[in-house]
Amino acid sequence: MSDRRLADLPPPPDPLPVPVADNHCHLDITREGSPPVDVGRAVRQAGAAGVDRLVQIGCDLVSARWTVELLDEQPALLGGVALHPNETPGHAAAGELDHALAEIERLAAHPRVRVIGETGLDYYRTGPDGVQTQQEAFRRHIDLAKRSGKALQIHDRDAHADILRILAEEGAPERTVLHCFSGDLAMARECVRRGYFLSFAGTVTFKNARDLRNALAVTPLERLLVETDAPYLTPAPHRGRVNAPYLVPLTVRAMAATLNVAVPTLCEALSANSEMVYGPW
Ligand SMILES: [Zn+2]
């Protein structure tokens, strides 16, 4: 049974000519029906595909603790910690939001946690009653990123206008990343104007993602990052299957085609941008 599931992993793509970083993955999350991720194996498979650095995102308390422990064992990983916007209403309802944020701040003190994220707004999964709490928690994560000097990674689902408004009101951290960028061309231009980084995921390879590719096309190389958001958002032609960092080359090659740049040129830029945002691994 488990052999069949392992055999279900998509085949490895051709390795990238210049190694890049996966800017956002969740090695602790298992999708229904798939076995838990063997982290060492995932790191090796990624490395063999030319994805030699990973940013592991822990976005609830259990996952953030797990992430920080893993950093001491895995030199290929940097970490991010936060309360995901879908987590914050529950903490607030239990009267524990302050307590949970204090623990995130303690975990963020680890020198190889270089990201506060993913934080932001999710109006798709959380109803109107959660909006106030999400916005308040987003502001507090922005403040933490600025106080700790770490990069901010933003989750934005159906909330583009409020994300941009709150970042403007609070003042964005020096290094701000729109994770799994999902805006249109106008939003991409505004993010570039403000100096934010746009991290593209497997969604940019989807057939119906013309608006997203138009947004990518106007983003300068020096503002681009790539990510998997594994185990989600598996790039074409494996959409719907389990995603993993070794599949980044499929997204990079699709990005290079949209941008009309050579793959090694794009890889050089992606690699340099990752180190600029998070510092060296
Ligand atoms: Zn994520």
Side-chain angles (χ1 to χ4, degrees):
M1 185 71 149
S2 68
D3 280 348
R4 188 187 61 76
R5 284 176 182 156
L6 285 175
D8 271 344
L9 280 177
D14 282 345
L16 291 171
V18 175
V20 303
D22 179 350
N23 281 263
H24 185 114
C25 63
H26 302 275
L27 297 175
D28 54 317
I29 298 181
T30 301
R31 278 172 64 179
E32 202 182 332
S34 65
V37 176
D38 173 338
V39 174
R41 185 162 179 263
V43 168
R44 283 193 302 280
Q45 278 180 323
V51 184
D52 64 349
R53 288 151 289 162
L54 315 177
V55 182
Q56 154 63 29
I57 298 295
C59 54
D60 60 35
L61 288 179
V62 171
S63 168
R65 291 175 197 133
W66 184 87
T67 296
V68 169
E69 273 174 36
L70 194 65
L71 294 179
D72 292 324
E73 297 162 20
Q74 294 286 348
L77 264 53
L78 293 179
V81 296
L83 300 178
H84 191 283
N86 292 333
E87 292 289 318
T88 54
H91 287 292
E96 287 169 357
L97 186 57
D98 286 346
H99 190 75
L101 283 167
E103 179 165 359
I104 291 295
E105 181 160 354
R106 276 197 301 279
L107 291 165
H110 191 290
R112 293 192 35 250
V113 171
R114 306 272 178 82
V115 177
I116 303 303
E118 57 189 288
T119 176
L121 303 172
D122 190 319
Y123 294 170
Y124 177 77
R125 276 191 211 285
T126 303
D129 46 319
V131 166
Q132 269 317 107
T133 304
Q134 286 196 5
Q135 294 191 0
E136 164 67 14
F138 181 33
R139 290 179 197 275
R140 291 176 66 179
H141 283 89
I142 293 171
D143 175 60
L144 173 57
K146 290 198 284 193
R147 282 190 290 111
S148 62
K150 312 214 180 212
L152 184 74
Q153 276 199 12
I154 294 169
H155 171 100
D156 164 18
R157 189 145 187 203
D158 299 346
H160 304 325
D162 281 351
I163 291 281
L164 290 175
R165 175 178 60 80
I166 290 170
L167 283 169
E169 287 170 2
E170 295 294 318
E174 204 176 310
R175 288 153 299 132
T176 294
V177 175
L178 278 288
H179 131 70
C180 186
F181 183 78
S182 60
D184 61 5
L185 185 147
M187 180 161 176
R189 286 210 168 109
E190 176 61 13
C191 289
V192 169
R193 192 186 67 76
R194 295 184 185 192
Y196 304 162
F197 290 82
L198 284 67
S199 182
F200 285 84
T203 42
V204 80
T205 70
F206 295 173
K207 231 189 193 123
N208 59 357
R210 183 167 304 188
D211 287 350
L212 192 55
R213 282 187 289 275
N214 289 340
L216 169 62
V218 299
T219 306
L221 285 188
E222 59 270 22
R223 291 290 158 209
L224 284 175
L225 300 169
V226 69
E227 64 172 75
T228 54
D229 203 16
Y232 309 112
L233 306 181
T234 314
H238 306 302
R239 188 174 179 180
R241 294 169 75 177
V242 174
N243 202 3
Y246 75 92
L247 293 172
V248 160
L250 297 171
T251 303
V252 170
R253 290 198 169 93
M255 289 169 71
T258 296
L259 291 160
N260 200 20
V261 297
V263 172
T265 306
L266 177 58
C267 291
E268 299 272 10
L270 292 168
S271 181
N273 296 345
S274 299
E275 303 252 339
M276 187 188 302
V277 172
Y278 310 115
W281 261 250

